[in-house]
Amino acid sequence: MTQSREVPTPEFGEWAGVERDLELTDADFARIRQLIYLRAGIVLAEHKREMVYSRLAKRLRHHGLVRFADYLSRLEGNQASPEWEAFTNALTTNLTAFFREAHHFPLLAEHARQRRGPLRIWSAAASSGEEAYSIAMTLDEALDGRTANVEVLASDIDTEALARARAGVYALDQVRKLDEARIKRYFQRGRGRQEGLARVRPELMSMVRFLPLNLLAPSWSVEGPFDAIFCRNVMIYFDKPTQARILERFAPLLKPDGLLFAGHSENFSYITDTFRLRGQTVYVRRT
């Protein structure tokens, strides 16, 4: 949800010099923490107050408000308001990169080569798309381009991040971290007004389908079974009961020998016995 989604401690510059023209009380901050927990399952720590002020101040100014209390009342007064989307997007930060946690991708390649029939992978916290396209590149290479029956489903709660993912346009500095062969095979370099940018080639983009999805929603608009699910670096921002519920919902969507990829600081072994550890932050569904 990124949900590829991390809410890190902001850099000093993120709120340095912020003009304190808006009123954020202790009660307001408590309401914000409760609302983002109910909406996205994110547990905001006490020390995130400065970050919250910085991120949401833009929304208050957009609506011409000076008190957080008025903004929150407006939100709570209309559960169908599109402002909920802006509120959620503002309080989540998507930290990702191509082939992040690189040890996962050789395992995925090996897993793909052993499969028969259609191959489906779900990136459940896709953020701005780097993870999903890394999965697609891995599968294309592992299967020597025979990807007619391959689908990468990429979902996230952050609609702004998903829009960037669908566009498939990245700063060339991000792409340069890949080896030259991958850059040539999977990206188009921008020219003229697009200088300094790179776009995912249509052939790779066609392997990925993006959709908005909140992992806390009562129902998910995805259907299994999947050969693998990537849910990395998002579960650590949920409390243990929420983590357990999401993991139990993943289980029936995975094939019996399907893989679940977790983030480097996530450990699911102590949350549920539905999955067993297979390798470094890689789990397999118990049969």
Side-chain angles (χ1 to χ4, degrees):
M1 3 175 245
T2 345
Q3 273 158 5
S4 179
R5 113 173 6 308
E6 298 189 10
V7 184
T9 301
E11 297 296 328
F12 174 77
E14 183 168 0
W15 64 72
V18 172
E19 184 181 353
R20 293 293 179 179
D21 57 335
L22 307 174
E23 180 184 326
L24 174 64
T25 68
D26 292 343
D28 297 335
F29 182 54
R31 285 171 75 188
I32 292 167
R33 294 178 68 195
Q34 179 68 7
L35 290 175
I36 196 62
Y37 174 78
L38 293 174
R39 199 76 179 182
I42 295 171
V43 179
L44 278 177
E46 288 280 357
H47 68 272
K48 301 293 184 180
R49 180 171 179 147
E50 297 290 348
M51 183 201 76
V52 166
Y53 183 99
S54 175
R55 302 281 181 84
L56 288 182
K58 299 173 185 177
R59 301 309 307 163
L60 269 71
R61 295 188 179 103
H62 174 78
H63 292 289
L65 302 173
V66 296
R67 298 197 319 151
F68 278 79
D70 296 334
Y71 174 73
L72 297 174
S73 294
R74 179 177 295 194
L75 268 182
E76 293 174 306
N78 183 1
Q79 293 299 317
S81 170
E83 184 60 28
W84 280 107
E85 186 174 294
F87 171 80
T88 303
N89 290 350
L91 290 180
T92 55
T93 298
N94 302 284
L95 296 181
T96 185
F98 290 106
F99 291 93
R100 186 183 185 191
E101 304 194 37
H103 64 281
H104 283 160
F105 296 96
L107 290 173
L108 175 64
E110 177 188 359
H111 188 60
R113 285 190 288 263
Q114 295 172 352
R115 315 303 284 176
R116 295 294 180 268
L119 186 67
R120 302 183 70 229
I121 311 296
W122 180 18
S123 171
S127 184
S128 48
E130 289 92 329
E131 177 178 89
Y133 290 126
S134 298
I135 292 170
M137 283 185 264
T138 299
L139 299 178
D140 183 70
E141 292 168 351
L143 302 175
D144 296 321
R146 297 187 297 272
T147 58
N149 293 320
V150 173
E151 179 187 47
V152 179
L153 181 65
S155 66
D156 202 277
I157 191 174
D158 189 332
T159 54
E160 292 179 358
L162 277 181
R164 296 194 298 273
R166 286 192 186 96
V169 177
Y170 299 93
L172 195 55
D173 287 344
Q174 294 174 268
V175 176
R176 282 199 182 106
K177 297 175 183 178
L178 303 175
D179 61 68
E180 192 61 31
R182 277 179 172 156
I183 295 174
K184 289 181 178 179
R185 183 171 180 177
Y186 298 117
F187 293 88
Q188 300 168 320
R189 295 177 190 254
R191 300 182 185 280
R193 293 171 57 187
Q194 303 301 317
E195 188 74 28
L197 299 175
R199 184 175 187 176
V200 176
R201 290 188 181 274
E203 300 83 359
L204 189 72
M205 196 175 291
S206 67
M207 295 173 59
V208 187
R209 179 164 64 93
F210 293 97
L211 78 162
L213 185 142
N214 184 346
L215 289 174
L216 267 66
S219 62
W220 293 343
S221 55
V222 298
E223 294 184 1
F226 293 99
D227 297 271
I229 295 176
F230 280 68
C231 187
R232 307 187 302 173
N233 304 307
V234 57
M235 298 283 266
I236 54 173
Y237 297 99
F238 301 147
D239 57 20
K240 288 295 190 293
T242 302
Q243 292 176 9
R245 287 195 299 272
I246 292 172
L247 290 171
E248 292 302 319
R249 294 177 71 181
F250 280 155
L253 295 176
L254 269 174
K255 295 179 181 179
D257 55 350
L259 300 180
L260 175 63
F261 291 86
H264 67 277
S265 58
E266 297 168 322
N267 188 335
F268 298 159
S269 299
Y270 300 103
I271 300 172
T272 176
D273 58 4
T274 304
F275 296 92
R276 62 176 175 82
L277 189 65
R278 172 179 161 172
Q280 185 182 355
T281 58
V282 180
Y283 296 82
V284 64
R285 177 184 166 188
R286 292 184 188 274
T287 57

